[in-house]
Amino acid sequence: MQLKKGIPVSPGIAIRQAFVLDTEELRIPQRFIEKQEVDTEVLRFEAGVRGAQKSLAAEISRLDSKIAIHTQILEIHKDLVADPILKNEIIEGIRDHQYTAEHSVSRILNRYIKKFQAMNSPILAERVHDLYDVEKLILSTLLGRRMETINTLEQEVVLVAHNLTPAQTAKLDTRWIHGFATDVGGKTSHTAIMARALGIPAVVGLEEISTAAIGGDLLIIDGFRGVVLIDPDERTLEEYRQKEADTRRVARRLRRQTKLPAESIDGHPIEILANIELPQEVHASVELGAKGIGLFRTEFIYFQSPRNGEELHFQNYRMVLQELAGRPLTIRTLDLGGDKAVEDSTPIVEDNPFLGCRSIRWCLVRPDIFREQLRAILRVSALGPVRLMFPMITSIHELDQALVFVDQVKEELRGEGISFDEDIPIGVMVEVPSLALIADLLAPRVDFLSVGTNDLVQYTLAVDRGNEHVADLYDPVHPAILRLLVQLLAVGRKSDIEVSVCGEMASEPLYLPLLLGLGLRKLSVSPQMIPEVKQVIRSLKVYEAQDLASRCLEMSDGVAITRALKRWAIENLPEVGARL
Ligand code: PEP
Ligand code: MG
């Protein structure tokens, strides 16, 4: 058994065989054979090697001889496939351990991959790529028609990968993929947010899980503690099976509360909305008790088909609105760039994309795409309660530029006789400290402010939200963040405009008493977290939370604040405390 520690990003327990993406991208259906099958298995392996050699030779002969480098690479692969030491080790695996040919290939090659990686040499790093390629080649030859890719899975697995892009995560089929573990990533990376949206346990920032786990290994993903166990022993497995069953029971119990009001013991009503990435999530959000959608991230519509613009956006929004049946919908304009890279249409290559042409900046330099989306949002506003929200605004000038586009598009629609809500509420996300600091100047120009703590923490503390190496520094309760929240809430009260939080901080039971104590009454959270968020709200008294918040505001560092929040949870919220 091996234990790997990472960052827990989506709660839950998953126990399944590993499907390792990025290394073999193929699933090995069987790992062991019977003793009497050993000779046939060795013959099968040798046939697989011959098949791989033949396909390499065919590819080399097809190649243009001018592309010498490509030929050289394939020659290296041919040598590796024929390497007698490697071959013998793989055959030993089959004979001595009764591995299937596929499992033995994967195990032996991965052993070399790990060895080479540990040596930290650029030359050996190249060999690592070659070994991955050779592994994939032999495996695909051996598996032949039994080959499974991530798109053709027919068995429940947990996915292991170096990294997953948000677009890849959005396409994961949760019928087969029950959890995932990645080498890189942080708590509020968009991939992590997608995992929570899909409701599958996930651990990221494990650094080397994609080489430590081999396709077919049994894995436990503990999305509560941020731990992955490879090939667990019987006792651990039994413990986790028990935990998995307990988790399901608690989830069922929490779900029974969905019809109860989100109100504190001392009678303060809190509005809980959902953050969604895909229209398919609305139904579950409402079922789980959401009073509307507080953040519709629209990037995934763009990723589906960047070219279909207005119509695709309109259809998606209409679908969401219909499902909401009169509940409000806040649509955020495209927030592309950063970790949601746009391959073909980013205007420039950037060294530092999170500080570059991201989000609203990207829209302002791509007016063609921005206008299409604004048209779709305005058109759908004729059909129900829709609000428009701009992400990552940093200055009044930037907001004014965006508003000019809205006015132009409104004029265009009037000219075309297309109806829309003339008074559509327009708000901004507060994600950058510069905006939080000038919220009073902004307030007269907008209808609402929604605090995007994921980015606000990143930009205030200068900590990349997706970088596992600085994850310890990513602290949503850093006094600087709390001061910004206090300031924003004061502006909200003075100017009588709504201030809510839609960052992941609001989905975290540990932080909820503090947020409510500071004065927040409206939260937009990951749909799967709604039952738990509601349970916390229903278990506390706001005046006690206010006292907690006052004490936290007097503390000078985030570590002490976290400690105080944990102590408070242990004393006041036994179910939250039990998991700390
Ligand atoms: C945020 O930054 O807090 C937010 C909600 O936006 P996103 O996570 O999509 O960047
Ligand atoms: Mg953001």
Side-chain angles (χ1 to χ4, degrees), residues 188 190 193 275 277 295 297 299 332 335 340 358 429-431 451-456 465 502-504:
T188 59
H190 287 95
I193 291 169
N275 295 343
E277 282 71 33
L295 168 63
R297 294 184 168 97
E299 299 74 48
R332 176 178 78 182
D335 183 34
K340 288 175 283 191
R358 185 195 158 192
M429 291 184 74
V430 183
E431 304 188 275
V451 190
T453 50
N454 305 340
D455 277 315
L456 188 63
R465 62 192 267 187
C502 65
E504 294 301 304

Side-chain angles (χ1 to χ4, degrees), residues 196-305:
R196 281 192 288 278
L198 296 169
I200 57 176
V203 179
V204 303
L206 287 146
E207 295 192 351
E208 45 148 44
I209 190 74
S210 68
T211 44
I214 298 171
D217 278 349
L218 187 67
L219 250 61
I220 297 177
I221 296 188
D222 180 344
F224 295 114
R225 288 171 54 221
V227 161
V228 174
L229 296 139
I230 306 171
D231 267 333
D233 55 47
E234 267 311 311
R235 228 188 69 210
T236 313
L237 193 57
E238 197 34 52
E239 263 170 39
Y240 267 97
R241 289 216 161 106
Q242 190 57 41
K243 246 188 192 171
E244 194 185 22
D246 290 348
T247 310
R248 274 207 219 101
R249 215 174 16 253
V250 172
R252 270 200 304 274
R253 187 163 53 73
L254 287 177
R255 273 162 203 235
R256 281 199 290 273
Q257 300 191 3
T258 52
K259 298 279 180 291
L260 299 176
E263 199 175 287
S264 66
I265 297 175
D266 53 344
H268 290 268
I270 311 295
E271 199 174 338
I272 309 179
L273 302 126
N275 295 343
I276 58 161
E277 282 71 33
L278 308 164
Q280 294 83 318
E281 291 172 76
V282 186
H283 182 73
S285 303
V286 172
E287 293 271 293
L288 290 166
K291 294 293 176 214
I293 300 300
L295 168 63
F296 185 5
R297 294 184 168 97
T298 55
E299 299 74 48
F300 300 99
I301 303 175
Y302 177 86
F303 287 134
Q304 264 168 40
S305 173

Side-chain angles (χ1 to χ4, degrees), residues 7 162 183-186 205-208 463-474:
I7 302 165
H162 175 67
D183 294 341
V184 301
L206 287 146
E207 295 192 351
E208 45 148 44
V463 178
D464 181 345
R465 62 192 267 187
N467 180 344
E468 67 279 12
H469 301 292
V470 288
D472 285 352
L473 302 175
Y474 187 93

